[in-house]
């Protein structure tokens, strides 16, 4: 295949990837919202709702390293199609079960867990395949459009889920979800996952799975820049929970903002991510993504600290709402300015034969950090209040970022930048 044909095929992959990801993510968002309403309506229990969330998070945390290893060792196309087919069968099974028997909590929990496992395999395999599907010049565009599709799904999913759940039966609701997975599966089956591969042949596993996973971890530890990126992602995931948990508490409990306005405030984060993603998709790729990420995290840290300002200052109600709308929009923008450059750099820095494992390890750590952060900050908010929970978190995030992304790390990542500065100094 000549270069022109490859680029045409890469263009097809770009839009097929975005469209299929949007369809499956949107369908999943609608399903998650609807099934949550169903569980609450069926039991009226927050514990039952929490158990369904655990069935979604726990399998991802456990399975991710295994899924990453398998993505490195086996056919990526077969894995994507197989995992999507598993999702279709899972929801179809729940639909069939609900046709002949009453829908039970156990059936919902099992379905949620199986869908979570399927999504891990699909997501990690795609994450490790972006550079195989799309030319290097458009990786940033692909990552940005992918983030945009997730943001749109986050905004529209609960809205559509609420409307559909209110007007149709659970059977129709499940059928819509099945159709979304089938469309995504058909689109993904047309993609060539070896278009830009650097492998000469398929790698077959010759070592035990645990040994292969350990090799992935060793590879990550041996490459300082990759290790810093992973550590930074984990730190962000932990400290940003202070805001995710603290913001509803401050806005609803302390400042008495009504639920409709709070819904707008929360939704603006997804809008900010969407706007920033569109910007990334149309601009040229950043030359020094790690520097962009560092600046994004530092600004994000300041917005975390700024979230407590209305606690001290007596704003009018409308001004308080407007302040938090602007703040959450800014957070959404900055999260994209943090995540997208890191994603692009990981795609271009990590060797193809280790990409699945690195993303799998990152997924596990990230998934583990979120529940841990929720437990820690839930306790801190009750014990010392939002101000002394969130303020130190923002300060710690600044200090940790300055340490992890210190000048020596930036120099190692971009030695040419250092040499350019030296040359300019010598000329002066």
């Amino acid at each position: 295949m000549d270069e022109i044909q490859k680029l045409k095929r890469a263009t097809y992959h770009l839009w097929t990837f975005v469209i299929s990801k949007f369809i499956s993510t949107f369908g999943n968002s609608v399903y998650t919202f609807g099934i949550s309403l169903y569980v609450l309506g069926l039991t009226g229990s927050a514990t039952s709702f929490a158990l369904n969330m655990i069935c979604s998070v726990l399998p991802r945390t456990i399975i991710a390293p295994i899924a990453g290893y398998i993505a490195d060792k086996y056919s990526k196309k077969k894995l994507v199609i197989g995992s999507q087919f598993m999702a279709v069968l899972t929801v179809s099974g729940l639909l069939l079960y609900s046709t002949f028997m009453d829908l039970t909590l156990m059936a919902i929990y099992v379905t949620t867990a199986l869908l979570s496992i399927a999504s891990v395999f699909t997501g990690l395999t795609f994450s490790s395949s972006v550079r195989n599907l799309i030319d290097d010049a458009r990786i940033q565009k692909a990552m940005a459009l992918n983030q945009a599709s997730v943001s749109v799904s986050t905004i529209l999913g609960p809205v559509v889920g609420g409307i559909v759940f209110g007007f149709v039966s659970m059977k129709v609701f499940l059928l819509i979800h099945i159709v979304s997975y089938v469309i995504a599966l058909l689109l993904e089956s047309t993609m060539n996952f070896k278009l830009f591969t650097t492998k000469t042949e398929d790698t077959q596993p010759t070592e035990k799975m645990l040994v292969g996973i350990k090799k992935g971890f060793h590879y990550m530890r041996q490459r300082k820049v990759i290790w810093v990126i992973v550590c930074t992602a984990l730190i962000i995931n932990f400290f940003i929970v202070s805001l995710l948990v603290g913001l509803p508490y401050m806005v609803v409990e302390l400042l008495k903002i009504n639920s409709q306005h709070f819904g707008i405030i929360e939704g603006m984060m997804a809008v900010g991510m969407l706007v920033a993603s569109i910007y990334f998709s149309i601009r040229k790729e950043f030359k020094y993504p790690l520097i962009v990420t560092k600046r994004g995290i530092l600004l994000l840290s300041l917005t975390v600290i700024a979230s407590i300002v209305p606690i001290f200052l007596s704003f009018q109600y409308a001004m308080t709402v407007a302040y938090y709308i602007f703040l959450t929009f800014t957070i959404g923008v900055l999260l994209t300015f943090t995540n997208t450059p890191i994603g692009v750099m990981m795609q271009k820095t990590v060797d193809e034969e280790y990409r699945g494992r690195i993303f799998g390890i990152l997924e596990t750590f990230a998934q583990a950090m979120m529940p841990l952060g929720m437990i820690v900050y839930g306790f801190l908010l009750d014990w010392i209040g939002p101000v002394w929970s969130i303020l130190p978190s923002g300060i710690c995030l600044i200090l940790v970022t300055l340490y992890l992304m210190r000048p020596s790390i930036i120099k190692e990542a971009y030695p040419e930048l250092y040499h350019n500065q030296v040359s300019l100094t010598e000329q002066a």
Side-chain angles (χ1 to χ4, degrees), residues 237-238 241 365-379:
N237 270 20
F238 180 80
V241 173
F365 287 168
Q367 289 292 329
M369 280 293 171
M370 295 292 279
L372 176 63
M374 287 178 181
I375 292 169
V376 170
Y377 283 106
F379 172 74

Side-chain angles (χ1 to χ4, degrees), residues 8-18 132-134 190-196:
K8 286 181 178 179
R9 190 66 178 169
T11 301
Y12 172 79
H13 284 165
L14 174 64
W15 294 109
T16 304
F17 168 66
V18 172
N132 295 4
L133 294 164
I134 298 159
T190 65
M191 301 171 77
N192 177 6
F193 283 77
K194 297 180 181 179
L195 186 64
F196 293 100

